[in-house]
Each structure stands twice: as structure tokens, then as C-alpha cells.
Amino acid sequence: MLIGAHVSTAGGLVEAHARGVEIGADAIQVFNQSPRMWKPTRWRDDDIAAFRELMADGPIASVVIHAVYLVNCASKDPEIRAKSLASLKHSLAMGDAIGADGVVLHPGSTVGEPHEEALARVGDALGEALAETDSCPLLLEDTAGAGKTLGRSFDELARLIELGGGHERLGLCLDSCHLLASGYDVRTADAVATVMDECVSVVGRERLRCLHVNDSQTPLGSNRDRHAPLGEGEIGARGCGAFLSEPRFEGLPAIFEGPGLEGKAPAAADIERARKLRANGLRARARRRRG
Ligand SMILES: [Zn+2]
Ligand SMILES: [Zn+2]
């Protein structure tokens, strides 16, 4: 598992890489621009080239991009739809430019429109964005289920992948906080295994490309997206350890997004905490196997 964190790109990609190295991350997630603005920004070509060289040498083994929060591929509004598609395509193009392992996207919100039509609009948007970009994977993130958001269940995520044409570039990013909030218990190794059994049978293991590992301030089924530092929320130390040691997550980037133990941005202490919780989780599993 590649334990990592979301890092700021203030100053550019090379700076973002340095932040990842400084906190001891194996993987990083970045925004390709301000996530609350439509205006597309572009990294400089020399920054991209220098970043790719750094990535080739390690120690960061994986980078993913988080798409702009404003994107709503389910929207019926022609202006929002056009902006969403342009933004998503731009994120995917940036993903290709920096060699990202994926662009993580919130599937969208019906904003009260009929559910099936909203799902179909997302599917069309995914298909179009993939057709007009090169090879960067597009990873749908499961949501906490707040309001009219789409993507709160494996069934719905599988439907969206199908409506997007079932393209092999379509995958999943599972967030532990969102899973708990949307009603999937991930607080013990057995519970995580049950959730993964469902994920594998409904969506498929090969679709799962990335994890967000966040604790949750709010309880199981609360449908609220309130992250907590690892081990400090409703998932707790044991639950985070169980999540981080699930065998079917091996090899995936596991991104902690914050807030961290020492403030807002993820820091070295959070990466250390994640590694410690994972080690505890692995030990607990080994103990159970020995009986
Ligand atoms: Zn997200
Ligand atoms: Zn969240």
C-alpha cells in the first residue's frame, strides 16, 4: 500500500512533490487548479517536466489529481454542464501531462431532478470526457450521501460506470469516511471485508484504483462529509487499522486528505499515524489467523 496525502501545489508541481517527500508520503494527491474556481490554470511545461523527472526517481510512487469541486456532470443546466465537461477534460489532460494514476471525480448531484435522467447525464459526460482525452484513468469517488449527491452506493457507482460505456479507464476511489457516512461499516476487519466483498461483486476489484483514508467526525449512516484525523473519529484507531490492512487494498495509493493531527494540512505525523495504524491492523490479522 502506498501511504500518502493530499498536498498543496502552491508554487507548482515541484513544490508539491517536495511537500510529499518532506512528510514521508509514498503517494500524493493534488488539485490541478483551485478546486472552487472554474477558471482553468495550467502548470508550466518546465514544471511538468521537472516533476516527471522527480517522480521517475522516487520516493513518491503515485500521483492522483482531484477534480474541481464545482464540476457537476449530472446537471441539466447547459452552462454548468459545459463548464463541468471542460473542467473534467482539462483535469484529465493535466493527468496525462503529469503521468497521474487517475483523476478523482465526485459523480455529481441530481439537484432534485429525476434520478435516472441525472445518472444518464453523468454517463454521457464520462463517455465524452474519456473520448476526448488520452489515457488517464477517471476514478469515481464514493460520496457520503449528503443531499442529492450521486455515488453513495456500489450499485450506483456500478451503474455510472456502465452508463459511461464501461470504459477500462473508469475506476473507483473509495473514501473510508464517505463509506461510513453513507452506511457502510468499516470499523472492524470483518466489516471491511464484507464491504469489499460487495464492492468486488458489484463493481469489480479491477476498478478499484485509489483509496482516500480519512476518519469521520460523524457516525455510521450520518450522510455527512466531515473528515477527522486518523484514529480520532468514528472509525477510530482499530477501524482505520482494519481499513489500511485490508488485503484487497494492497498496492493502492491510500491518500489522507486531512484535517491532520497538527492542523489542517496533512503532515508527517499523519503519515506516521497511518503507517502505525496499518501495522497494528496487520498484526491483529496475523493474531487472528494464529487463533
Ligand atoms: Zn473528493
Ligand atoms: Zn470527504
Side-chain angles (χ1 to χ4, degrees), residues 106 141 175 177-178 212 214 225-227 257:
H106 298 174
E141 181 174 3
D175 185 309
C177 166
H178 301 178
H212 284 171
N214 298 300
D225 183 7
R226 296 278 181 278
H227 297 186
E257 296 180 299

Side-chain angles (χ1 to χ4, degrees), residues 25-288:
D26 304 321
I28 55 173
Q29 174 179 275
V30 295
F31 292 123
N32 63 286
Q33 63 183 71
S34 166
R36 292 185 177 83
M37 282 168 48
W38 284 115
K39 186 177 155 333
T41 52
R42 238 200 94 85
W43 289 307
R44 296 190 323 269
D45 287 342
D46 59 334
D47 193 29
I48 291 173
F51 176 78
R52 291 194 76 128
E53 259 177 58
L54 289 167
M55 286 297 287
D57 291 341
I60 311 277
S62 175
V63 57
V64 293
I65 287 176
H66 197 302
V68 170
Y69 290 144
L70 302 173
V71 169
N72 183 6
C73 292
S75 177
K76 206 174 159 182
D77 182 303
E79 192 188 334
I80 292 174
R81 184 165 182 78
K83 284 178 169 171
S84 294
L85 262 165
S87 181
L88 180 56
K89 286 181 219 166
H90 181 69
S91 289
L92 286 165
M94 289 296 98
D96 278 323
I98 68 168
D101 289 321
V103 164
V104 176
L105 173 72
H106 298 174
S109 166
T110 69
V111 292
E113 296 289 337
H115 194 83
E116 278 301 309
E117 291 168 24
L119 289 175
R121 280 193 293 273
V122 177
D124 288 347
L126 299 179
E128 184 180 327
L130 291 171
E132 292 180 25
T133 52
D134 203 5
S135 63
C136 182
L138 177 49
L139 311 181
L140 302 178
E141 181 174 3
D142 70 299
T143 55
K148 313 284 183 199
T149 53
L150 296 168
R152 66 185 70 196
S153 70
F154 293 127
D155 285 323
E156 202 164 75
L157 291 161
R159 276 277 285 150
L160 290 171
I161 288 172
E162 183 193 317
L163 290 164
H167 201 291
E168 62 178 18
R169 286 167 65 198
L170 284 172
L172 278 193
C173 172
L174 284 188
D175 185 309
S176 51
C177 166
H178 301 178
L179 282 171
L180 189 86
S182 64
Y184 290 100
D185 194 354
V186 289
R187 294 172 296 180
T188 65
D190 285 342
V192 174
T194 303
V195 169
M196 266 312 282
D197 288 346
E198 185 184 336
C199 178
V200 166
S201 79
V202 176
V203 191
R205 169 62 184 84
E206 73 288 351
R207 296 282 183 190
L208 182 58
R209 316 274 173 80
C210 183
L211 303 167
H212 284 171
V213 53
N214 298 300
D215 209 332
S216 174
Q217 286 182 30
T218 60
L220 179 68
S222 58
N223 293 133
R224 294 179 68 203
D225 183 7
R226 296 278 181 278
H227 297 186
L230 295 173
E232 310 279 307
E234 294 283 333
I235 299 175
R238 190 170 73 133
C240 288
F243 191 82
L244 286 162
S245 60
E246 159 61 37
R248 285 165 286 187
F249 293 164
E250 279 308 313
L252 296 175
I255 304 290
F256 172 65
E257 296 180 299
L261 293 159
E262 297 167 352
K264 207 159 183 291
D270 300 298
I271 296 288
E272 274 167 39
R273 171 71 66 91
R275 290 220 171 86
K276 197 181 119 207
L277 294 172
R278 170 173 150 79
N280 291 346
L282 288 169
R283 268 196 298 276
R285 285 169 191 274
R287 269 199 305 276
R288 275 172 32 136

